[in-house]
């Protein structure tokens, strides 16, 4: 997002300078060079909310929704998250790594360089640790920047739901006193997340778990006010969470709280589109109130099976009524802030990690315009090629 004739100098994985090509060629005369061919070079996209570790897809649920069954009714019938839980529990760690690798590579191929990846399809100590270890192994295999989030409170497992209120209380104790300490002891997660939603976790339950996670040294995130208004956005702000995500049903009080606090409002327009909902998060109200807004894909097997982040930018413009500039900021700078990485990535500026994306475009407004297309021609994370760049490389001038 610099004028034509601009160059970026990278030293030891960080941006050393951004400026006129002639000046930087003199200043860094011995540097290797990559000719971007006049294409659009910008910060790599930051996808701050995904569920990329899963087994089989859940395409049958799309037809059920088309027949009129709502999300929570599908869940009650054993579909939804519970379906993915049963599937993941039956798979070995190696298999989950093998399944996730091509998905994450496809994510990178659309220009994303930072990906938050949640657990949450295990819901036992063993299976949640297994999922988080998969994320750690993937980080060792890929140049992508992965941010692991523990989501043991993605649902109340069916074996606990069957025992009513006592089962819910027992699972919450398991989360706080067994699962969370095990996650923290291995250093497997940077954040803790809770699906705070009527019928899943109450505001009070979410507070208990998130306060325990904060004591354990984890950052906080919430699935907040997605389907029904619950006060989850206000809870996120009160706890100092890095982000409150979804927000399709956020109240006016929630909007005001997010505008007054430091919590990023992360919007997931692809989810509501795929669910067939006419309602989207009130992006314009949030921005106009002064709340920081990020965008994310919510990549998952049931409600947002897309790895195409530029498509999310399209939805932000066409459905959420953001300008192209607002959408790009939401997908870079503010996405980084939603992961507490605002000083590390998301900007094309000296001192930041050289997380870059090159697009076959001349104007940044083309990213949301050519909807569904893959314009990305290369990505780099810390200066290391992530999605292969198909162009001439010159070692010396």
């Amino acid at each position: 997002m610099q004028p034509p004739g601009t160059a970026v100098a990278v030293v030891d994985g960080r941006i050393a300078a951004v400026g006129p090509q002639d000046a930087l060629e003199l200043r860094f005369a011995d540097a290797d060079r990559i000719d971007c061919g006049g294409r659009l070079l910008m910060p790599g996209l930051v996808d701050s909310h995904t569920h990329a570790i899963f087994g089989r897809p859940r395409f049958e649920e799309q037809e059920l929704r088309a027949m009129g069954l709502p999300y929570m009714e599908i869940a009650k019938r054993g579909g939804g998250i519970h379906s993915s839980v049963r599937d993941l529990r039956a798979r070995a760690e190696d298999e989950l790594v093998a399944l996730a690798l091509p998905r994450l590579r496809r994510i990178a191929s659309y220009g994303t360089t930072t990906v938050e990846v949640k657990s949450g399809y295990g819901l036992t100590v063993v299976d949640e640790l297994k999922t988080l270890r998969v994320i750690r192994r993937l980080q060792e295999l890929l140049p992508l920047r992965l941010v692991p989030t523990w989501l043991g409170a993605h649902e109340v497992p069916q074996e606990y739901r069957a025992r009513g209120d006592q089962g819910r209380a027992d699972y919450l104790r398991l989360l706080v006193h067994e699962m969370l300490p095990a996650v923290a002891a291995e250093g497997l997660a940077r954040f803790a997340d809770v699906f705070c939603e009527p019928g899943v976790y109450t505001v009070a339950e979410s507070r208990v778990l998130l306060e325990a996670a904060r004591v354990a040294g984890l950052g906080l995130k919430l699935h907040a006010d997605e389907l029904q208004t619950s006060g989850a956005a206000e809870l996120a702000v009160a706890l100092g969470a890095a982000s409150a995500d979804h927000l399709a049903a956020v109240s006016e009080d929630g909007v005001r709280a997010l505008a007054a606090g430091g919590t990023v409002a992360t919007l997931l327009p692809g989810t509501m589109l795929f669910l067939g909902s006419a309602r989207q998060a009130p992006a314009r109200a949030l921005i106009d109130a002064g709340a920081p807004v990020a965008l994310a894909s919510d990549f998952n097997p049931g409600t947002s099976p897309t790895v195409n982040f530029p498509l999310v930018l399209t939805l932000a413009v066409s459905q959420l009524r953001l300008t192209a500039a607002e959408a790009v900021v939401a997908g870079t700078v503010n996405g980084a802030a939603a992961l507490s990485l605002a000083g590390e990535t998301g900007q094309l500026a000296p001192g930041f990690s050289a997380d870059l994306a090159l697009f076959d475009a001349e104007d940044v407004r083309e990213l949301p315009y050519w909807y569904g297309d893959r314009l990305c021609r290369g990505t780099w994370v810390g200066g290391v090629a992530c999605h292969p760049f198909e162009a001439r490389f010159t070692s010396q001038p």
Side-chain angles (χ1 to χ4, degrees):
M1 296 189 296
Q2 295 288 333
T6 299
V8 177
V10 176
V11 177
D12 295 331
R14 295 197 170 270
I15 297 172
V18 180
Q21 181 177 339
D22 292 345
L24 265 61
E25 285 182 341
L26 289 174
R27 182 178 168 188
F28 300 92
D30 295 330
D32 293 338
R33 299 179 185 181
I34 295 177
D35 181 2
C36 294
R39 298 181 180 93
L40 174 68
L41 184 68
M42 58 178 281
L45 299 168
V46 178
D47 195 344
S48 59
H49 184 128
T50 81
H51 304 259
I53 312 302
F54 60 88
R56 63 178 294 274
R58 301 193 332 242
F59 43 78
E60 70 281 355
E61 294 178 15
Q62 187 180 27
E63 289 186 315
L64 293 175
R65 284 190 293 272
M67 294 166 58
L69 269 69
Y71 177 86
M72 296 305 289
E73 179 59 31
I74 292 172
K76 289 178 183 177
R77 297 186 179 192
I81 293 168
H82 296 297
S83 175
S84 289
V85 168
R86 291 191 299 272
D87 182 85
L88 184 136
R89 287 177 177 179
R91 295 181 188 268
E93 191 175 303
D94 287 348
E95 185 179 8
L96 292 170
V97 169
L99 287 167
L101 270 172
R103 295 172 188 153
L104 289 167
R105 287 179 176 135
R106 286 200 301 274
I107 286 174
S109 76
Y110 282 92
T112 300
T113 55
T114 297
V115 187
E116 186 259 17
V117 186
K118 304 180 191 292
S119 67
Y121 292 133
L123 307 189
T124 67
V125 174
V126 169
D127 291 299
E128 285 294 299
L129 292 176
K130 175 176 69 177
T131 305
L132 291 167
R133 288 173 187 143
V134 166
I135 300 170
R136 183 170 61 188
R137 286 178 58 183
L138 290 165
Q139 181 63 95
E140 295 169 352
L141 294 169
L142 293 167
L144 270 170
R145 183 190 304 277
L146 302 184
V147 179
T149 293
W150 171 57
L151 184 56
H154 199 187
E155 247 291 6
V156 178
Q158 287 184 317
E159 61 268 28
Y160 286 86
R161 277 190 178 275
R163 295 193 282 113
D165 290 344
Q166 185 59 52
R168 291 181 66 89
D170 288 345
Y171 186 63
L172 188 60
R173 278 192 291 271
L174 175 76
L175 289 170
V176 172
H177 297 295
E178 295 185 42
M179 199 182 295
L180 172 59
V183 170
E186 289 195 42
L188 290 170
R190 201 173 301 175
F191 290 95
D193 195 352
V194 178
F195 192 176
C196 185
E197 182 79 23
V200 190
Y201 287 91
T202 67
V203 168
E205 290 168 336
S206 300
R207 180 185 290 275
V208 168
L209 180 54
L210 291 172
E211 287 180 341
R214 182 168 56 192
V215 171
L218 299 182
L220 309 182
K221 298 170 75 69
L222 274 86
H223 284 56
D225 300 321
E226 177 183 359
L227 304 173
Q228 300 180 53
T229 304
S230 67
E234 294 92 319
L235 175 64
V237 174
L239 293 177
S243 71
D245 301 14
H246 283 291
L247 301 171
V250 67
S251 67
E252 292 183 3
D253 287 342
V255 171
R256 284 191 288 269
L258 288 163
T263 298
V264 177
T266 299
L267 310 185
L268 313 171
T271 305
M272 302 312 289
L273 175 80
F274 195 74
L275 287 174
S277 174
R279 179 175 63 182
Q280 288 278 3
R284 281 260 53 98
L286 286 160
I287 291 174
D288 293 344
V293 167
L295 293 166
S297 70
D298 193 21
F299 172 52
N300 75 80
T303 62
S304 188
T306 184
V307 295
N308 186 339
F309 200 107
L311 178 60
V312 176
L313 301 182
T314 299
L315 296 176
V317 175
S318 65
Q319 302 293 310
L320 303 183
R321 305 304 177 189
L322 273 62
T323 66
E326 287 171 334
V328 170
V329 168
T332 54
V333 179
N334 289 355
L339 297 173
S340 300
L341 291 173
E344 176 68 13
T345 190
Q347 296 189 49
L348 220 172
F352 280 76
S353 178
D355 299 352
L356 311 171
L358 181 67
F359 293 94
D360 196 6
E362 296 180 357
D363 191 305
V364 72
R365 290 171 293 184
E366 293 186 61
L367 296 187
Y369 176 77
W370 297 110
Y371 79 95
D373 200 357
R374 181 162 60 185
L375 299 178
C376 182
R377 292 296 174 263
T379 58
W380 295 263
V381 177
V384 177
C386 189
H387 173 53
F389 175 57
E390 300 172 0
R392 178 176 57 86
F393 177 86
T394 305
S395 295
Q396 293 292 333

